[in-house]
Amino acid sequence: MTQRIAILGAGVMGETLLSAILSSGHPVDHLVISERRDERAAELREAYGVEVTGNAEAAAGADVVLLVVKPQDVPSLLQEIAGSVAPGTTVVSLAAGIRIEAIASALPGGVAIVRAMPNTPALVGEGMFGISPAPAVTDEQLAAVVTLLESGGKVVVVDESLQDAVTAVSGSGPAYVFYLAEAMIAGGVAEGLDPATARILAQQTLVGSAKLLAGSEETAEELRRRVTSPNGTTHAAITTFDERGVKDGLVAGVAAAAARSAELSAPQ
């Protein structure tokens, strides 16, 4: 039986999931999204032919409810839908830093809760979702969530205690890649390239390298070694990176992001 899915939140990520789920073949008459602004609701109906309604109405009768709102909006949202979510419903939270116990305490008993950390490449169907199920979530319920989110990218299942690490590596990770792209473009311009040429050189190198890594059984370290000839140009660059502490800085940055994630998700 086709599940009825409710997406609560029609922002960028909410619309991204809506588009991805529909593209995966899920029937539009088994999907609803919530939006209070009339103009935005009309826009979504026009673009996707989807039912658009309020939060409580969307949650009522849904088999899977996706919470796709800002973390600060989660408490009021949970209060609003608590009377509409039936036992047996799967609630998936994509709000950063909101723990499973906080969601469980606001909803009726018998609700299956899954915490998820998405990232922005889901906008182009290449997202990364790290998900953590509550102990009561069944294998069948978890498998359904995995299938649902795979419409927007890849999914890994981790213990909730590792969500801060997931946030630090993949949640914040796109910014690290863009940071690297900034530096590569700036370096190219400094060597005489015009900005447009430097950009295409950097971005296609990153795209191609990511595809190469994703399609290879070799480690990132081994792939890097294969293009680093002794005393060649790449060796000169990598040696300079090591001398300047670039790798150590990135590792420290991931640690700092994980620590900040833990601070933000700590019970208040």
Side-chain angles (χ1 to χ4, degrees):
M1 183 178 70
T2 302
Q3 291 188 311
R4 180 171 174 80
I5 300 167
I7 300 173
L8 307 188
V12 173
M13 185 58 71
E15 185 176 1
T16 294
L17 289 171
L18 169 65
S19 177
I21 292 168
L22 289 174
S23 295
S24 73
H26 194 89
V28 69
D29 58 352
H30 281 68
L31 201 153
V32 60
I33 189 167
S34 68
E35 173 56 54
R36 285 194 174 93
R37 293 173 298 159
D38 291 341
E39 184 178 345
R40 175 64 169 155
E43 181 181 305
L44 292 167
R45 291 189 189 100
E46 175 72 21
Y48 301 99
V50 68
E51 178 185 356
V52 187
T53 185
N55 292 320
E57 295 83 357
D63 300 297
V64 180
V65 177
L66 301 174
L67 309 182
V68 199
V69 297
K70 296 177 181 178
Q72 63 266 30
D73 294 332
V74 170
S76 60
L77 174 62
L78 292 174
Q79 185 176 23
E80 185 178 353
I81 69 172
S84 301
V85 179
T89 303
T90 301
V91 174
V92 183
S93 172
L94 286 87
I98 305 298
R99 297 187 176 189
I100 289 172
E101 62 182 356
I103 300 170
S105 66
L107 295 178
V111 174
I113 300 168
V114 178
R115 178 179 171 184
M117 169 52 66
N119 68 8
T120 55
L123 295 170
V124 292
E126 294 291 349
M128 185 70 245
F129 300 86
I131 70 172
S132 303
V137 175
T138 67
D139 290 344
E140 182 180 7
Q141 289 170 325
L142 181 60
V145 172
V146 170
T147 299
L148 191 63
L149 295 181
E150 281 180 337
S151 63
K154 294 186 181 297
V155 179
V156 295
V157 180
V158 301
D159 187 84
E160 190 182 14
S161 65
L162 295 172
Q163 276 290 342
D164 295 325
V166 170
T167 299
V169 174
S170 64
S172 299
Y176 312 156
V177 176
F178 302 147
Y179 189 79
L180 176 59
E182 283 182 67
M184 291 171 67
I185 293 168
V189 171
E191 293 303 315
L193 293 170
D194 65 86
T197 300
R199 172 171 175 155
I200 190 64
L201 288 169
Q203 70 186 28
Q204 184 57 33
T205 297
L206 290 170
V207 168
S209 299
K211 287 185 177 181
L212 184 60
L213 176 60
S216 175
E217 295 182 359
E218 301 292 346
T219 64
E221 182 180 17
E222 177 58 28
L223 290 174
R224 189 255 303 162
R225 284 175 175 166
R226 289 185 180 183
V227 294
T228 309
S229 304
N231 297 317
T233 58
T234 308
H235 181 267
I238 297 297
T239 299
T240 302
F241 293 158
D242 288 342
E243 290 173 349
R244 298 291 182 93
V246 173
K247 184 175 182 179
D248 289 343
L250 288 169
V251 172
V254 171
R260 183 57 178 153
S261 176
E263 290 175 2
L264 292 173
S265 62
Q268 302 298 313

